[in-house]
Amino acid sequence: MSEASAAQSPWQTAKIIRIEKRTPRVTSFFFKLSRPFVHQAGQHVDVRLTAPDGYQARRSYSIASAPESGGTIELAIERLEDGEVSPFFHEVAAVGDEIELRGPLGGHFVWSDKDGGPLLLVGGGSGVVPLMAMVRHRTARKSSVPTALVFSARIWDEVIFRDELINLDDRRNGFDLVLTLTREAARRPEDYSRRIDAQMMMQSMARLPEPPRLAFVCGSNAFVSAAAQALIDADVPADLIRTERYGV
């Protein structure tokens, strides 16, 4: 995030209006913005917490909701044991609380239905969040852009947005979901139970009517490096791959 983009997005208050448990470690918080904005699918916000002694902690969170969500946004926050911000949300925050945030931020890792496709999305763990905003945007726009989402999680119960994604997959309207579990056997016949590799990428791309025009990869540093290399090994040109990395 550049200093210029941050300066153009002043801090504002946002009220928690709903809390929804997604997985044992991930909870969605829905915020009503005091100054509503329209974001692009894939963008994020900065969240700032201020302690009574004046100490401030900041963290960036991708927006999970579609741009069409109006004056509210959804942040799906994973609890990190050594985090400064996520424990507050998981242990303290309640409906009605107000926090400070600024955004929307980021302009590289974004997609609009006007950008077309086919589109290949690859997410690991909570890295699926900005990709979910793209999937929801596609749905809200009633877009026919062919889209495949390859989502890697450790176990079935850690598949964020699982029911919503499976319901979208069942519509058979050009959106295909591929789940791969790294510590459990696959639950669906079309899914995998291993880490992402080039063969999996090739088989996932075969679900699209033609090679992807854009590929988005999001997750931890290690996941993004491995997934991006798998895409390159599957003959996806590097200049079509956009990446976003979380943490270490």
Side-chain angles (χ1 to χ4, degrees), residues 29 34 58 226 237:
F29 296 83
S34 58
R58 299 181 186 180

Side-chain angles (χ1 to χ4, degrees), residues 11-65:
W11 293 99
Q12 64 167 293
T13 58
K15 180 182 290 187
I16 300 175
I17 59 172
R18 182 157 62 98
I19 299 174
E20 184 176 340
K21 192 80 169 175
R22 295 293 187 185
T23 73
R25 295 179 55 83
V26 177
T27 298
S28 282
F29 296 83
F30 297 80
F31 296 90
K32 183 177 182 180
L33 304 171
S34 58
R35 293 195 300 273
F37 55 67
V38 176
H39 65 280
Q40 295 175 277
Q43 287 188 300
H44 65 274
V45 296
D46 285 347
V47 171
R48 180 170 69 185
L49 303 179
T50 304
D53 63 1
Y55 176 77
Q56 293 184 330
R58 299 181 186 180
R59 178 78 159 83
S60 295
Y61 290 106
S62 293
I63 302 171
S65 42

Side-chain angles (χ1 to χ4, degrees), residues 139-155:
T139 302
R141 298 291 296 173
K142 295 181 171 57
S143 170
S144 59
V145 171
T147 302
L149 169 62
V150 183
F151 183 5
S152 175
R154 293 185 300 178
I155 61 176

Side-chain angles (χ1 to χ4, degrees), residues 164-177:
E164 182 178 353
L165 286 169
I166 290 174
N167 286 337
L168 290 173
D169 188 36
D170 288 342
R171 294 184 185 182
R172 298 301 172 197
N173 66 354
F175 171 74
D176 281 283
L177 173 66

Side-chain angles (χ1 to χ4, degrees), residues 217-240:
V217 183
C218 187
S220 67
N221 270 323
F223 174 85
V224 170
S225 296
Q229 187 59 54
L231 286 172
I232 291 171
D233 292 343
D235 296 327
V236 176
D239 61 353
L240 299 184

Side-chain angles (χ1 to χ4, degrees), residues 7-224:
Q8 294 168 4
S9 301
W11 293 99
Q12 64 167 293
T13 58
K15 180 182 290 187
I16 300 175
I17 59 172
R18 182 157 62 98
I19 299 174
E20 184 176 340
K21 192 80 169 175
R22 295 293 187 185
T23 73
R25 295 179 55 83
V26 177
T27 298
S28 282
F29 296 83
F30 297 80
F31 296 90
K32 183 177 182 180
L33 304 171
S34 58
R35 293 195 300 273
F37 55 67
V38 176
H39 65 280
Q40 295 175 277
Q43 287 188 300
H44 65 274
V45 296
D46 285 347
V47 171
R48 180 170 69 185
L49 303 179
T50 304
D53 63 1
Y55 176 77
Q56 293 184 330
R58 299 181 186 180
R59 178 78 159 83
S60 295
Y61 290 106
S62 293
I63 302 171
S65 42
E68 295 78 13
S69 59
T72 65
I73 61 168
E74 175 187 353
L75 304 182
I77 298 178
E78 180 178 11
R79 179 187 172 87
L80 302 176
E81 298 304 329
D82 58 349
E84 289 188 307
V85 175
S86 67
F88 166 81
F89 281 104
H90 283 259
E91 298 172 10
V92 180
V95 171
D97 287 351
E98 290 187 341
I99 59 96
E100 290 183 292
L101 60 76
R102 67 178 174 187
L105 302 170
H108 170 71
F109 198 83
V110 296
W111 179 79
S112 164
D113 64 315
K114 295 178 182 177
D115 296 330
L119 185 65
L120 179 62
L121 311 174
V122 185
S126 59
V128 76
V129 174
L131 309 180
M132 191 66 188
M134 298 177 190
V135 172
R136 287 170 164 170
H137 171 60
R138 177 187 181 276
T139 302
R141 298 291 296 173
K142 295 181 171 57
S143 170
S144 59
V145 171
T147 302
L149 169 62
V150 183
F151 183 5
S152 175
R154 293 185 300 178
I155 61 176
W156 181 252
D157 286 343
E158 292 183 3
V159 177
I160 311 168
F161 312 116
R162 185 183 68 203
D163 292 345
E164 182 178 353
L165 286 169
I166 290 174
N167 286 337
L168 290 173
D169 188 36
D170 288 342
R171 294 184 185 182
R172 298 301 172 197
N173 66 354
F175 171 74
D176 281 283
L177 173 66
V178 180
L179 297 175
T180 184
L181 306 179
T182 60
R183 297 187 184 180
E184 262 185 13
R187 298 289 186 93
R188 308 188 308 164
E190 63 268 40
D191 292 336
Y192 299 89
S193 55
R194 66 176 192 266
R195 296 185 184 278
I196 283 176
D197 54 32
Q199 182 185 32
M200 188 187 301
M201 292 296 95
M202 287 187 285
Q203 292 171 343
S204 299
M205 288 188 293
R207 301 175 181 228
L208 299 171
E210 57 186 277
R213 288 183 55 195
L214 281 173
F216 292 85
V217 183
C218 187
S220 67
N221 270 323
F223 174 85
V224 170

